[in-house]
Amino acid sequence: MSAVIDALAPRRMELGSTRVPDRPAHWVKHENVAPDWSAVPQQTVIEVVSKGCLEDPERPAIIIDGGPVMTRREFLDRCQKFAGYLSGILAPGDRVVVMLDNRLEFMIALFAIIANRCTLVSIAPTAMAYDAGHIVSDAMPTAAIVGEAQAPIIEAVRDRAPGLRNIITVEGEEPNGLAAYEDAAEPLDFTTVGCQREDIITVYYTSGTTGAPKGCMLHHGWWLRVIDLDLRMFRRGWQDRQLCCLPFYYADPAIQLLTSLASRGTLVAMRRFSVSRFWEVVTTYDATEILSIASIPALLTKGEKSPAERDHRIRLAIHAGLPKDLHHELLERYGFHWHNQYGSTEGGVMSRVPHHLADELVATGTMGVEPPGVTVRIVDDNDVDVPVGVAGEALIGGPDLYAGYLNRPEVTAEANRGGWYHSGDVVRRDERGLLYFVGRKKEIIRRSGENISAAEVEGVLCAHPAILEAAVLPVPDDLRGEEVKAYVQLRAGESPETLPPEAILAHCKANLAAFKVPRFIEYRLTDFERTPSMRVQKQSLLKEKPDLRTGAWDSETGTVGE
């Protein structure tokens, strides 16, 4: 146990405390934000769960679309019962991999693990032996909680973690998949557990653009800060119902559940995102707020229009990486604001569009400004601050950021050099202090000495009405160093005949500087492999074939490469 406590010591550091530049008085800031820790004064996540459930026990905690409705009383009861069982097989500091679909038992397992001062290690339920095996061998869990479909995968890789003694399979109808364990021991009273704010409670493996995924460690303080900031910037109450359309193995659904418990609201969860059912779910369960990521807004606008799109109680949508070309359409079609947000597993919420500027900033592409307590510096390759308007890497400072990367002290030290978290994101700031995303530092393509943002080219491609999704990568070129290749996925009803590569090229030429226009275009006939955050998994594209120019249309020759 002493080794666990010793390992926690560095996590008390506030990144960015060594040097915080003055913020000009004329820069935009969030208004009417409640004081620090006024929304979540608790010291642990378990306190938030216990208090939220005990204060309003008969109100629904979670509603599963097409599934059960669970009150706060039942949710706390089941969490405490399963935690009691786990207390007999786990010791503080143990790690437990969880590989489950979107079902209530995921959230029950999450808080039961945390209450035992242990750590949930999240694995996508669609993972196979290769990617699940990497996480198991890196995290070295002592237990696993899996669905029936995932059990064979974990069994196949369990020898990679010699300490993996217990594999718990969630079986049967929801929410009774853990019923066999719930009465096996005395419940663990959440009001008396000895959790500490510095305990590492979750590990999420970040997909990154290069190298194997790294386990990002998050402690109670990280979660509490995100929940407190969110509730202080956007107040909620018992009448609010947040819609979750994301997979539970990602952090956002748990954040939504905790903010709901802390504000007496309810979480409405879909099994999986569906364009055809989205607005039916919104209206059926009376949702008031949406959290979305990646291509969700674009996919929604491609769907058929229906009266339900305007017959709802939605007050707000928060989206990470909102396409500015869709912003007006989203507002006009659905009747509520979509607020752009910038965040990461490491840094939590790093900027958001202020509510009082929502109308003014529609379709500007801005990510807003930092929430109270967070600082974003923009620097060059030598970590020197750049002038306003100049793009550079975003460095993040603030309290309770991530606790580092599991088993990667050297990578953690490099990411936090100088006392600031180096995000790897290239951003710029305008004269009002508003932030704009330019691209990933490692996704900047160098063509004939010019820097090209893959994200910018992708944004232009996705603005074409026939294109559903796009991914842009560099390919080697003897003359120019690197060339630009675009993978294009067309929407239903379109084909390379209806949208030939020449038309895609013309669209890009009309919207981009000549040096940014893709030379190579390849059609994607099936969906892209995706990261846990639903972004295109570019690592898999890089590995598909030895020469990425093979099979792609070359604009210089007008032919498909062999």
Side-chain angles (χ1 to χ4, degrees):
M1 183 62 189
S2 61
V4 174
I5 301 301
D6 289 344
L8 295 172
R11 292 160 194 149
R12 296 179 181 275
M13 181 180 69
E14 177 178 338
L15 290 177
S17 59
T18 55
R19 178 180 162 211
V20 180
D22 293 333
R23 184 179 181 87
H26 67 276
W27 278 9
V28 167
K29 63 180 180 181
H30 294 272
E31 295 185 357
N32 300 317
V33 178
D36 288 354
W37 305 113
S38 57
V40 183
Q42 292 79 17
Q43 292 302 300
T44 73
V45 164
I46 294 303
E47 291 177 41
V48 175
V49 174
S50 178
K51 181 175 184 291
C53 290
L54 292 172
E55 283 188 345
D56 204 353
E58 301 310 318
R59 189 172 301 284
I62 311 176
I63 300 173
I64 300 290
D65 172 38
V69 176
M70 184 169 281
T71 67
R72 285 162 156 70
R73 183 191 301 278
E74 184 182 0
F75 182 67
L76 180 61
D77 180 60
R78 286 181 177 267
C79 287
Q80 292 182 144
K81 285 182 175 180
F82 188 54
Y85 167 76
L86 291 181
S87 67
I89 64 171
L90 299 177
D94 280 356
R95 288 186 280 271
V96 182
V97 295
V98 176
M99 194 176 179
L100 280 173
D101 293 308
N102 279 25
R103 51 185 294 166
L104 276 163
E105 291 88 350
F106 187 106
M107 296 301 180
I108 293 169
L110 168 65
F111 298 121
I113 292 167
I114 295 172
N116 278 281
R117 300 193 70 190
C118 296
T119 304
L120 178 144
V121 178
S122 186
I123 301 182
T126 54
M128 301 305 287
Y130 179 83
D131 37 5
H134 165 71
I135 294 175
V136 167
S137 62
D138 188 60
M140 286 295 166
T142 60
I145 302 172
V146 300
E148 292 180 272
Q150 292 78 31
I153 301 296
I154 293 298
E155 287 286 359
V157 301
R158 73 179 301 171
D159 60 347
R160 301 190 190 186
L164 179 50
R165 299 180 298 272
N166 296 280
I167 297 180
I168 299 166
T169 303
V170 178
E171 299 177 300
E173 293 294 320
E174 184 185 32
N176 299 315
L178 293 170
Y181 308 95
E182 289 177 354
D183 295 322
E186 286 296 314
L188 187 64
D189 186 349
F190 275 20
T191 64
T192 62
V193 295
C195 297
Q196 299 296 312
R197 190 181 177 91
E198 295 82 13
D199 290 348
I200 300 302
I201 62 175
T202 54
V203 172
Y204 294 96
Y205 276 76
T206 59
S207 47
T209 56
T210 60
K214 305 181 295 294
C216 185
M217 300 185 292
L218 307 178
H219 56 345
H220 285 275
W222 183 97
W223 286 87
L224 295 171
R225 183 179 68 90
V226 170
I227 299 162
D228 186 68
L229 276 175
D230 192 39
L231 290 174
R232 286 162 49 216
M233 288 192 290
F234 186 68
R235 292 173 176 82
R236 301 176 182 87
W238 63 267
Q239 74 280 11
D240 285 306
R241 291 185 167 188
Q242 297 187 54
L243 176 65
C244 171
C245 58
L246 308 179
F248 281 7
Y249 67 88
Y250 202 55
D252 290 303
I255 293 171
Q256 288 185 284
L257 176 56
L258 285 164
T259 53
S260 295
L261 290 175
S263 60
R264 302 180 69 186
T266 298
L267 178 67
V268 175
M270 299 177 71
R271 300 289 188 189
R272 62 189 58 83
F273 172 73
S274 167
V275 172
S276 61
R277 296 205 63 253
F278 188 84
W279 294 107
E280 177 189 346
V281 173
V282 166
T283 55
T284 298
Y285 300 103
D286 206 21
T288 60
E289 181 183 337
I290 297 168
L291 175 68
S292 68
I293 59 175
S295 56
I296 286 175
L299 293 171
L300 287 175
T301 60
K302 305 294 184 183
E304 295 184 7
K305 294 185 177 181
S306 73
E309 293 178 359
R310 303 288 296 202
D311 184 20
H312 55 69
R313 234 177 16 108
I314 297 290
R315 296 194 292 152
L316 171 74
I318 296 173
H319 182 83
L322 187 68
K324 68 177 182 179
D325 296 322
L326 285 178
H327 206 162
H328 277 301
E329 180 181 354
L330 291 167
L331 180 58
E332 293 168 3
R333 182 167 170 177
Y334 305 127
F336 55 86
H337 274 294
W338 295 66
H339 287 226
N340 204 6
Q341 176 173 290
Y342 172 48
S344 72
T345 310
E346 292 86 348
V349 179
M350 301 184 300
S351 75
R352 183 183 290 178
V353 169
H355 294 291
H356 69 285
L357 296 178
D359 289 322
E360 177 186 342
L361 298 178
V362 170
T364 61
T366 181
M367 305 183 296
V369 293
E370 304 96 313
V374 177
T375 301
V376 175
R377 286 175 57 203
I378 304 176
V379 302
D380 61 20
D381 289 339
N382 297 313
D383 285 0
V384 176
D385 295 88
V386 300
V388 167
V390 176
E393 183 178 8
L395 308 191
I396 314 301
D400 291 315
L401 300 191
Y402 77 127
Y405 297 112
L406 180 65
N407 302 325
R408 304 287 195 282
E410 69 292 341
V411 176
T412 302
E414 174 63 18
N416 295 347
R417 64 186 183 274
W420 291 79
Y421 167 60
H422 289 60
S423 69
D425 295 325
V426 179
V427 306
R428 65 177 176 85
R429 195 190 293 273
D430 68 14
E431 64 281 353
R432 300 174 66 193
L434 294 164
L435 294 163
Y436 299 80
F437 185 80
V438 175
R440 287 288 296 168
K441 191 173 183 180
K442 292 179 180 177
E443 290 185 13
I444 297 295
I445 302 167
R446 291 280 293 176
R447 183 180 189 269
S448 297
E450 297 278 7
N451 288 333
I452 303 169
S453 164
E456 180 185 13
V457 181
E458 289 162 357
V460 168
L461 287 164
C462 290
H464 193 289
I467 294 176
L468 181 63
E469 185 77 282
V472 170
L473 290 172
V475 293
D477 183 78
D478 293 336
L479 178 62
R480 300 179 179 93
E482 290 181 332
E483 271 289 5
V484 182
K485 177 181 177 179
Y487 290 83
V488 173
Q489 181 183 9
L490 302 179
R491 73 173 188 171
E494 301 289 349
S495 69
E497 288 71 39
T498 61
L499 186 68
E502 292 86 355
I504 297 174
L505 190 70
H507 170 73
C508 290
K509 286 182 175 179
N511 291 280
L512 290 168
F515 71 88
K516 299 179 183 178
V517 173
R519 173 179 169 181
F520 298 98
I521 297 172
E522 181 174 336
Y523 292 93
R524 189 78 181 180
L525 301 180
T526 59
D527 192 18
F528 292 101
E529 184 177 340
R530 297 186 181 273
T531 70
S533 55
M534 295 180 65
R535 294 177 175 84
V536 174
Q537 175 55 274
K538 293 187 177 180
Q539 277 291 98
S540 65
L541 294 176
L542 291 168
K543 296 175 181 177
E544 278 189 344
K545 44 194 169 186
D547 188 343
L548 295 184
R549 294 169 292 189
T550 303
W553 181 79
D554 184 346
S555 65
E556 292 195 356
T557 65
T559 61
V560 175
E562 298 180 355

